[in-house]
Coordinates of all heavy atoms in Angstrom, one line a residue:
A884 N 0.9 -1.2 0.0 CA 0.0 0.0 0.0 C 0.9 1.2 0.0 O 2.0 1.2 0.6 CB -0.9 0.0 1.2
D885 N 0.4 2.3 -0.6 CA 1.2 3.6 -0.7 C 1.6 4.0 0.7 O 2.7 4.6 0.9 CB 0.4 4.6 -1.5 CG 0.3 4.4 -2.9 OD1 1.1 3.5 -3.4 OD2 -0.5 5.0 -3.6
S886 N 0.7 3.8 1.7 CA 1.0 4.3 3.0 C 2.2 3.7 3.7 O 2.6 4.2 4.7 CB -0.3 4.2 3.9 OG -0.7 2.8 3.9
V887 N 2.6 2.5 3.2 CA 3.7 1.8 4.0 C 4.9 1.6 3.1 O 6.0 1.0 3.5 CB 3.2 0.5 4.5 CG1 1.9 0.7 5.4 CG2 2.9 -0.5 3.3
K888 N 4.9 2.0 1.8 CA 6.0 1.8 0.9 C 7.2 2.5 1.5 O 7.2 3.6 2.0 CB 5.7 2.4 -0.5 CG 4.8 1.5 -1.3 CD 4.6 2.1 -2.7 CE 3.7 1.2 -3.6 NZ 3.4 1.9 -4.9
G889 N 8.4 1.8 1.5 CA 9.6 2.3 2.0 C 9.8 2.2 3.4 O 10.9 2.3 4.0
R890 N 8.7 1.7 4.2 CA 8.8 1.5 5.6 C 8.6 0.0 6.0 O 9.2 -0.5 6.9 CB 7.7 2.4 6.3 CG 7.9 3.9 6.1 CD 7.0 4.6 7.0 NE 5.6 4.4 6.8 CZ 4.7 4.0 7.7 NH1 5.2 3.8 9.0 NH2 3.5 3.7 7.4
F891 N 7.7 -0.7 5.2 CA 7.5 -2.0 5.6 C 8.0 -2.9 4.5 O 8.1 -2.6 3.3 CB 5.9 -2.3 5.6 CG 5.2 -1.6 6.7 CD1 5.8 -0.8 7.6 CD2 3.9 -2.0 6.9 CE1 5.1 -0.1 8.6 CE2 3.2 -1.4 8.0 CZ 3.8 -0.5 8.9
T892 N 8.5 -4.1 4.9 CA 9.0 -5.2 4.0 C 8.4 -6.5 4.3 O 8.4 -7.0 5.4 CB 10.5 -5.2 4.1 OG1 11.1 -3.9 3.8 CG2 11.1 -6.2 3.0
I893 N 7.8 -7.1 3.2 CA 7.2 -8.5 3.4 C 8.2 -9.4 2.8 O 8.9 -9.2 1.8 CB 5.9 -8.5 2.6 CG1 5.1 -9.8 3.1 CG2 6.0 -8.4 1.1 CD1 3.6 -9.8 2.6
S894 N 8.3 -10.6 3.5 CA 9.1 -11.7 2.9 C 8.5 -13.0 3.4 O 7.7 -13.0 4.2 CB 10.6 -11.5 3.5 OG 10.6 -11.6 4.9
R895 N 9.0 -14.1 2.8 CA 8.6 -15.4 3.3 C 9.7 -16.4 3.3 O 10.7 -16.3 2.6 CB 7.4 -16.0 2.4 CG 7.8 -16.3 0.9 CD 6.5 -16.6 0.1 NE 5.7 -17.6 0.7 CZ 4.4 -17.8 0.4 NH1 3.8 -17.0 -0.4 NH2 3.7 -18.7 1.1
D896 N 9.7 -17.2 4.4 CA 10.7 -18.3 4.6 C 10.0 -19.6 4.3 O 9.2 -20.1 5.2 CB 11.3 -18.2 5.9 CG 12.3 -19.2 6.3 OD1 12.3 -20.3 5.6 OD2 13.1 -19.0 7.2
N897 N 10.2 -20.2 3.2 CA 9.5 -21.5 2.9 C 9.8 -22.6 3.8 O 8.9 -23.5 4.0 CB 9.8 -21.8 1.4 CG 9.1 -20.9 0.4 OD1 8.3 -20.2 0.7 ND2 9.6 -21.0 -0.9
A898 N 11.0 -22.7 4.2 CA 11.5 -23.8 5.2 C 10.6 -23.7 6.4 O 10.4 -24.8 7.1 CB 12.9 -23.7 5.5
K899 N 10.2 -22.5 6.9 CA 9.5 -22.3 8.1 C 8.0 -22.1 7.9 O 7.3 -21.9 8.9 CB 10.1 -21.1 8.9 CG 11.5 -21.4 9.4 CD 12.0 -20.2 10.2 CE 13.4 -20.4 10.6 NZ 14.0 -19.3 11.5
N900 N 7.6 -22.1 6.6 CA 6.2 -21.8 6.3 C 5.7 -20.5 7.0 O 4.6 -20.5 7.4 CB 5.3 -23.0 6.7 CG 5.6 -24.3 5.9 OD1 6.1 -24.2 4.8 ND2 5.3 -25.4 6.6
T901 N 6.5 -19.5 6.9 CA 6.2 -18.3 7.6 C 6.4 -17.0 6.7 O 7.3 -17.0 5.8 CB 7.2 -18.1 8.8 OG1 7.0 -19.2 9.7 CG2 6.9 -16.8 9.6
V902 N 5.4 -16.2 6.8 CA 5.5 -14.9 6.1 C 5.8 -13.8 7.1 O 5.1 -13.7 8.1 CB 4.2 -14.6 5.3 CG1 4.3 -13.2 4.7 CG2 4.1 -15.7 4.2
Y903 N 6.7 -13.0 6.8 CA 7.1 -11.9 7.8 C 6.7 -10.5 7.2 O 6.6 -10.3 6.0 CB 8.6 -11.9 8.0 CG 9.2 -13.1 8.6 CD1 9.8 -14.1 7.8 CD2 8.9 -13.4 9.9 CE1 10.3 -15.2 8.3 CE2 9.5 -14.6 10.5 CZ 10.1 -15.5 9.7 OH 10.6 -16.7 10.2
L904 N 6.4 -9.6 8.2 CA 6.2 -8.2 7.8 C 7.1 -7.4 8.7 O 6.8 -7.3 9.9 CB 4.7 -7.8 7.9 CG 4.5 -6.3 7.4 CD1 4.6 -6.3 5.9 CD2 3.1 -5.9 7.9
Q905 N 8.2 -6.9 8.1 CA 9.1 -6.0 8.9 C 8.5 -4.6 8.8 O 8.4 -4.1 7.7 CB 10.5 -6.1 8.3 CG 11.4 -5.2 9.0 CD 11.7 -5.6 10.5 OE1 11.9 -6.8 10.8 NE2 11.8 -4.6 11.4
T906 N 8.2 -4.1 10.0 CA 7.6 -2.7 10.0 C 8.6 -1.7 10.6 O 9.0 -1.9 11.8 CB 6.3 -2.7 10.8 OG1 6.5 -3.0 12.1 CG2 5.3 -3.7 10.2
N907 N 9.0 -0.7 9.9 CA 10.0 0.3 10.4 C 9.4 1.7 10.3 O 8.4 1.9 9.7 CB 11.2 0.2 9.5 CG 12.0 -1.1 9.6 OD1 12.0 -1.9 10.6 ND2 12.6 -1.4 8.5
S908 N 10.0 2.5 11.1 CA 9.6 4.0 11.1 C 8.1 4.0 11.4 O 7.4 4.7 10.7 CB 10.0 4.6 9.8 OG 11.3 4.5 9.5
L909 N 7.7 3.3 12.4 CA 6.2 3.3 12.7 C 5.7 4.6 13.2 O 6.4 5.4 13.8 CB 6.0 2.2 13.8 CG 6.1 0.7 13.2 CD1 6.2 -0.3 14.3 CD2 4.8 0.4 12.4
K910 N 4.5 4.8 12.8 CA 3.8 6.1 13.1 C 2.5 5.7 13.9 O 2.0 4.6 13.8 CB 3.4 6.8 11.8 CG 4.5 7.0 10.8 CD 3.9 7.6 9.5 CE 5.0 7.8 8.4 NZ 4.4 8.3 7.2
P911 N 2.0 6.7 14.7 CA 0.8 6.4 15.4 C -0.4 5.9 14.5 O -1.1 5.1 15.0 CB 0.5 7.8 16.1 CG 1.8 8.4 16.3 CD 2.6 8.0 15.0
E912 N -0.4 6.4 13.3 CA -1.5 6.0 12.4 C -1.3 4.5 11.9 O -2.2 4.0 11.2 CB -1.6 7.0 11.2 CG -0.3 7.2 10.5 CD 0.4 8.5 10.9 OE1 0.4 8.7 12.2 OE2 0.9 9.3 10.0
D913 N -0.2 3.9 12.3 CA 0.0 2.5 11.9 C -0.7 1.6 13.0 O -0.7 0.4 12.8 CB 1.4 2.1 11.8 CG 2.1 2.7 10.7 OD1 1.6 2.8 9.6 OD2 3.3 3.2 10.8
T914 N -1.1 2.2 14.0 CA -1.8 1.5 15.2 C -3.1 0.8 14.6 O -3.9 1.4 14.0 CB -2.3 2.4 16.3 OG1 -1.1 2.9 16.9 CG2 -3.1 1.6 17.3
A915 N -3.1 -0.6 14.8 CA -4.2 -1.4 14.3 C -4.0 -2.8 14.7 O -3.0 -3.2 15.2 CB -4.2 -1.3 12.7
L916 N -5.1 -3.6 14.4 CA -5.0 -5.0 14.5 C -4.5 -5.5 13.1 O -5.2 -5.2 12.1 CB -6.4 -5.6 14.9 CG -6.4 -7.1 15.3 CD1 -5.5 -7.4 16.5 CD2 -7.9 -7.5 15.6
Y917 N -3.5 -6.2 13.1 CA -2.9 -6.7 11.9 C -3.2 -8.2 11.6 O -3.0 -9.0 12.6 CB -1.3 -6.5 11.8 CG -0.9 -5.1 11.6 CD1 -1.1 -4.1 12.6 CD2 -0.3 -4.7 10.4 CE1 -0.8 -2.8 12.3 CE2 0.1 -3.4 10.2 CZ -0.2 -2.4 11.1 OH 0.2 -1.2 10.9
Y918 N -3.7 -8.5 10.5 CA -4.1 -9.8 10.1 C -3.3 -10.4 8.9 O -2.9 -9.6 8.0 CB -5.6 -9.9 9.7 CG -6.5 -9.5 10.7 CD1 -6.9 -8.1 10.8 CD2 -7.2 -10.3 11.6 CE1 -7.9 -7.7 11.7 CE2 -8.2 -9.9 12.5 CZ -8.5 -8.6 12.5 OH -9.4 -8.2 13.4
C919 N -3.0 -11.6 8.8 CA -2.6 -12.2 7.6 C -3.8 -13.0 7.0 O -4.6 -13.5 7.8 CB -1.3 -13.0 7.7 SG -1.3 -14.4 8.8
A920 N -3.8 -13.1 5.7 CA -4.9 -13.8 5.1 C -4.5 -14.3 3.7 O -3.5 -13.9 3.1 CB -6.1 -12.8 4.9

């Protein structure tokens, strides 16, 4: 999303069956319940 470009990075580790979301430079407006789907 435009609001997180340059600050968030998504990646996946197939060996661990895990998807990560690295969130940097967090702002108060990033406050939320985060879901994967």
Side-chain angles (χ1 to χ4, degrees):
D885 288 343
S886 59
V887 304
K888 280 181 182 176
R890 299 189 298 123
F891 291 10
T892 303
I893 193 169
S894 62
R895 67 190 305 161
D896 183 334
N897 288 347
K899 296 182 178 179
N900 295 335
T901 301
V902 174
Y903 300 102
L904 185 69
Q905 178 67 42
T906 66
N907 297 329
S908 303
L909 284 163
K910 305 175 183 179
E912 51 263 43
D913 294 316
T914 295
L916 191 58
Y917 283 71
Y918 301 87
C919 59

